[in-house]
Amino acid sequence: MRGEESDHCADGAFELGRLTENERSWLMFLRLVSEGRDPPPRLWDVQLLQRVLRRHGKSHFLRWHWS
Amino acid sequence: VKRKVMTMAKKPYEDSRLAKFLEKRVLELRPRKTQAEIAEQAGFVNPNMIAMLKSGATKLPLDRVPSLAVALECDPRLLFNLALEQLGGDTTVRAIEEIFGVVVTRNEVAWIQEIRDASGHTDPSLTSRGRAAIRGVFGK
């Protein structure tokens, strides 16, 4: 159990770095809509995010698509 | 009349997100463990503690978050955030965020990483389209 706990501490803030104000807004909205269920993103969710955010990350997408 | 008023009195934490989360989680775990077993696994002496937390009669002490998270098989940071909310609203949460940053669960880390990847790390603002997408994910 001890190992499991330290594993929890190892990610989170350290993995993400500081959240931007925009990311904080996404997170708070996610919490609000999911009603504290803390769901993981599924494949379908990721695909939806990609469609919605494509304009923001066009160059990244093209890099990914053509690599 | 006095007795009636007392029995109908609102429990101090009954509207908290923690009470609602616990009610749902206990139901989900019911095929595998009882409320009393969850209480015992979390180290509560009183086997009725889960019922009290569910009804909002009492708040979850922060030092019980790790063991209760193990018993509920959930992310301790989710439970920590919910317990923080019970402590006294926005200022406590704000103070902790100011010192440590936003406490995010493992699944929330995954969401933020997906948002970063999908946007090509352009730090997208939450637009109405983004809101609609998130609502769509949760059928809202």
Side-chain angles (χ1 to χ4, degrees):
Chain A
M1 199 181 100
R2 178 59 62 188
E4 217 177 291
E5 279 176 6
S6 55
D7 182 43
H8 278 303
C9 296
D11 56 15
F14 293 102
E15 205 174 288
L16 281 173
R18 201 85 177 170
L19 290 180
T20 67
E21 273 307 305
N22 283 338
E23 287 171 341
R24 200 171 181 281
S25 302
W26 278 94
L27 187 64
M28 295 308 150
F29 189 70
L30 194 68
R31 283 180 184 174
L32 184 78
V33 177
S34 68
E35 295 172 333
R37 279 178 287 164
D38 190 32
R42 300 156 300 175
L43 176 62
W44 189 83
D45 305 331
V46 174
Q47 288 165 338
L48 187 65
L49 276 178
Q50 287 175 343
R51 278 201 301 276
V52 169
L53 298 174
R54 186 169 295 175
R55 202 183 310 160
H56 290 276
K58 205 169 183 179
S59 57
H60 166 83
F61 249 76
L62 290 173
R63 272 204 309 276
W64 174 80
H65 186 73
W66 296 110
S67 62
Chain B
V1 174
K2 193 178 175 187
R3 190 181 301 155
K4 194 174 179 186
V5 168
M6 279 177 71
T7 53
M8 287 176 69
K10 199 171 159 70
K11 306 229 168 60
Y13 306 101
E14 75 175 53
D15 291 331
S16 67
R17 287 206 304 151
L18 190 139
K20 286 168 190 155
F21 168 77
L22 209 55
E23 188 169 0
K24 192 181 129 288
R25 192 70 191 125
V26 167
L27 265 179
E28 288 167 352
L29 291 171
R30 190 183 271 176
R32 289 192 284 123
K33 46 179 133 175
T34 65
Q35 241 175 231
E37 285 168 340
I38 293 170
E40 189 190 354
Q41 207 178 349
F44 291 120
V45 178
N46 182 352
N48 294 325
M49 190 61 180
I50 300 298
M52 290 161 70
L53 287 167
K54 262 171 56 179
S55 69
T58 188
K59 67 175 186 288
L60 176 64
L62 284 180
D63 64 343
R64 291 292 175 186
V65 166
S67 57
L68 185 57
V70 171
L72 293 172
E73 299 166 28
C74 72
D75 192 321
R77 283 168 293 190
L78 169 70
L79 208 55
F80 181 79
N81 278 334
L82 298 177
L84 266 188
E85 285 177 11
Q86 288 188 324
L87 277 185
D90 281 349
T91 51
T92 313
V93 177
R94 281 276 169 191
I96 288 177
E97 281 180 8
E98 206 172 300
I99 298 165
F100 299 108
V102 180
V103 179
V104 282
T105 69
R106 189 181 290 265
N107 287 338
E108 287 169 346
V109 168
W111 275 100
I112 295 294
Q113 281 172 337
E114 294 299 349
I115 289 167
R116 286 179 180 176
D117 285 348
S119 68
H121 296 261
T122 53
D123 189 28
S125 57
L126 179 61
T127 57
S128 54
R129 204 168 161 227
R131 280 195 182 89
I134 297 288
R135 279 201 194 96
V137 164
F138 297 102
K140 296 274 166 185

